[in-house]
Amino acid sequence: MSADTIDTAGETAARRREQRGWYFYDFACSVYSTSVLTVFLGPYLTSVAKAAADAEGYVHPLGVPVRAGSVFAYTVSLSLVVAILAMPLAGAAADRTGRKKPLLAVSAYLGASATAGMFFLDGDRYLLGALLLIVANASLAVSMVLYNAYLPQIAGPDERDAVSSRGWAFGYTSGALVLLLDLALYTGHESFGVSESVAVRICLATAGVWWGAFTIVPLRRLRDRRVERTAGEGAVGTGWRQLLATLRDMRRHPLTLSFLLAYLIYNDGIQTVISQASIYGSEELGLDQTTLITAVLLVQILAVAGALGMGRLARSYGAKRTILGSLAVWTLILAAGYFLPAGAPVAFYGLAAAIGLVLGGSQALSRSLFSHLVPSGKEAEYFSAYEMSDRGLSWLGPLVFGVAFQLTGSYRDAIISLVVFFALGFGLLARVPIGRAIAAAGNPVPERI
């Protein structure tokens, strides 16, 4: 029986159990996003690239001159291009077979293994770091396609904002917990008998171990649904034929595509701020690693409250209006970040607090809003397109950030360029008639959206 229908008490209990298991994948993988992508890997990979650089500060992968300070941004961008190739295929395969769990397991453990392998990133081995980052980031993107595709199946229309927000809250809770442990190891590394470099590598590797360990919970509790298709449906082949079939199908839902375009643009800005914040803080503002860790820890703590609080605001004002409000705040945050003085940790903490209050809610409500726009039976396939917007097509922001630094040598010029993503995304989202879009997808329209 569908989660959208009235069910028995036993089915309700089973659905609640699945929801609790579903939350734990956010709990598992968010540590990678926080400890690895946001805090440690950017500055550390940059230092490794600088160790391999020539006298002018350039490395030469495949003979191409690249500023050492741009290596991390370019690698993030490349990893997301790789994700573009993999995500639609995973989503289509899940929809054809109805077997999301095996695909989720493969992608999750591939990413967790690559992250654990970052322990071996030392000296001038920046190419190893780049390769592991590409594998981990692309694997995370694929796993999130499959994870997000469960949301319409385990939560009814009126509870998806709350369920999605709780998932983000679980993720930010785990991120804060692990960052506390990382902070203790990093600041006290001498008392633990390890160097600063080894402490960072341990923090990177343990994020992969955490990711793999807690993935067991959703794999045990989530269940695959039988796929019922008419003759020939879904038998469109593999590879790019499947991607083209997905895009052709989505053309029948232009309002869903309009939302995806808006989301692609403003989320590109969000993802770039998340991945490049530590680089900006360390290289432009001259802040030490301890300050960066505590700032991101503050983001994690406030993001839990922000995700839950914005979920409540959505119940009163609707998800669309709440997201639009958060995008206005994001624009103000970037403007303030541009003028942030160097060597001012208190001001940086204030900016981190503002990011935390809007970060979780912006992403959680976008996910739940999109779940209303997905035609029944197309969940994984459509969420692959969503995840392409969430991660796979978020290559443009890091690329713009990296090119801006490549050309100017200034991270301030790079950070201010991201304002356009939020302003344009706001304008496009404001034009989408969400109620009509939900009805056009064949789904019931919630009382407030």
Side-chain angles (χ1 to χ4, degrees):
M1 182 176 292
S2 170
D4 295 343
T5 64
I6 299 174
D7 54 11
T8 66
E11 289 169 331
T12 299
R15 194 169 76 247
R16 294 285 184 263
R17 185 177 187 275
E18 276 197 278
Q19 289 173 1
R20 289 190 291 271
W22 186 81
Y23 300 149
F24 265 92
Y25 191 67
D26 258 318
F27 192 84
C29 70
S30 291
V31 171
Y32 166 82
S33 299
T34 302
S35 293
V36 176
L37 200 60
T38 304
V39 176
F40 288 108
L41 189 56
Y44 186 69
L45 183 57
T46 300
S47 69
V48 172
K50 285 181 176 179
D54 59 21
E56 286 75 36
Y58 286 85
V59 292
H60 300 269
L62 302 178
V64 179
V66 175
R67 278 188 189 267
S70 293
V71 167
F72 178 67
Y74 286 154
T75 304
V76 171
S77 184
L78 179 58
S79 73
L80 300 174
V81 172
V82 173
I84 291 174
L85 304 177
M87 287 188 297
L89 309 182
D95 278 336
R96 277 202 311 277
T97 65
R99 292 175 57 80
K100 300 184 189 71
K101 276 208 299 186
L103 294 170
L104 176 61
V106 169
S107 56
Y109 283 108
L110 180 60
S113 299
T115 305
M118 291 177 185
F119 179 79
F120 301 102
L121 174 60
D122 60 355
D124 60 357
R125 304 165 74 180
Y126 77 96
L127 287 176
L128 173 64
L131 176 62
L132 293 173
L133 172 57
I134 290 169
V135 173
N137 235 22
S139 297
L140 177 64
V142 170
S143 72
M144 292 301 292
V145 169
L146 305 159
Y147 167 70
N148 287 335
Y150 278 102
L151 181 58
Q153 298 177 336
I154 65 174
D158 293 325
E159 61 179 344
R160 286 181 199 164
D161 287 347
V163 170
S164 183
S165 295
R166 288 189 201 112
W168 282 108
F170 264 62
Y172 287 118
T173 299
S174 73
L177 175 61
V178 173
L179 270 182
L180 279 173
L181 300 175
D182 290 341
L183 180 61
L185 174 61
Y186 182 81
T187 57
H189 62 85
E190 291 183 353
S191 63
F192 289 104
V194 298
S195 67
E196 181 179 319
S197 173
V198 171
V200 170
R201 288 158 50 203
I202 290 173
C203 292
L204 294 172
T206 52
V209 174
W210 181 284
W211 182 359
F214 284 99
T215 295
I216 295 172
V217 179
L219 292 179
R220 286 178 63 88
R221 292 200 171 188
L222 292 172
R223 62 185 180 88
D224 287 330
R225 273 75 172 171
R226 177 181 299 177
V227 175
E228 295 183 3
R229 294 187 180 276
T230 58
E233 186 179 359
V236 292
T238 57
W240 285 101
R241 285 186 297 160
Q242 181 62 67
L243 173 59
L244 293 175
T246 302
L247 295 177
R248 283 196 298 269
D249 186 78
M250 291 189 72
R251 287 171 57 189
R252 298 190 294 111
H253 303 281
L255 296 179
T256 299
L257 280 174
S258 295
F259 172 83
L260 270 179
L261 176 61
Y263 179 71
L264 181 156
I265 293 171
Y266 71 73
N267 187 66
D268 202 343
I270 292 174
Q271 295 296 327
T272 307
V273 171
I274 293 171
S275 66
Q276 306 303 318
S278 288
I279 287 287
Y280 185 72
S282 63
E283 299 294 324
E284 185 67 38
L285 303 182
L287 302 175
D288 58 38
Q289 190 73 59
T290 300
T291 300
L292 297 177
I293 296 172
T294 51
V296 175
L297 179 60
L298 179 62
V299 169
Q300 298 301 299
I301 294 171
L302 291 179
V304 176
L308 298 176
M310 287 182 64
R312 294 190 182 96
L313 285 175
R315 288 199 293 269
S316 299
Y317 300 101
K320 177 182 173 180
R321 290 188 182 91
T322 306
I323 294 170
L324 289 172
S326 75
L327 297 182
V329 175
W330 274 108
T331 303
L332 294 175
I333 287 170
L334 284 181
Y338 178 79
F339 294 105
L340 208 63
V346 174
F348 191 72
Y349 287 143
L351 204 65
I355 289 174
L357 290 174
V358 294
L359 174 60
S362 301
Q363 296 175 316
L365 292 177
S366 296
R367 177 171 64 185
S368 63
L369 187 56
F370 181 72
S371 73
H372 294 284
L373 308 180
V374 178
S376 179
K378 298 282 188 177
E379 290 85 5
E381 190 173 338
Y382 271 58
F383 264 110
S384 70
Y386 175 87
E387 194 65 22
M388 285 175 67
S389 299
D390 190 6
R391 300 177 195 273
L393 291 186
S394 290
W395 55 269
L396 182 59
L399 180 61
V400 168
F401 190 95
V403 168
F405 180 77
Q406 177 95 359
L407 296 177
T408 68
S410 169
Y411 284 106
R412 292 187 188 272
D413 293 337
I415 202 72
I416 199 63
S417 68
L418 303 179
V419 168
V420 67
F421 291 96
F422 295 102
L424 185 56
F426 181 101
L428 291 173
L429 178 60
R431 294 171 58 88
V432 179
I434 294 297
R436 282 173 47 201
I438 295 172
N443 296 321
V445 182
E447 181 178 347
R448 188 176 298 277
I449 194 66

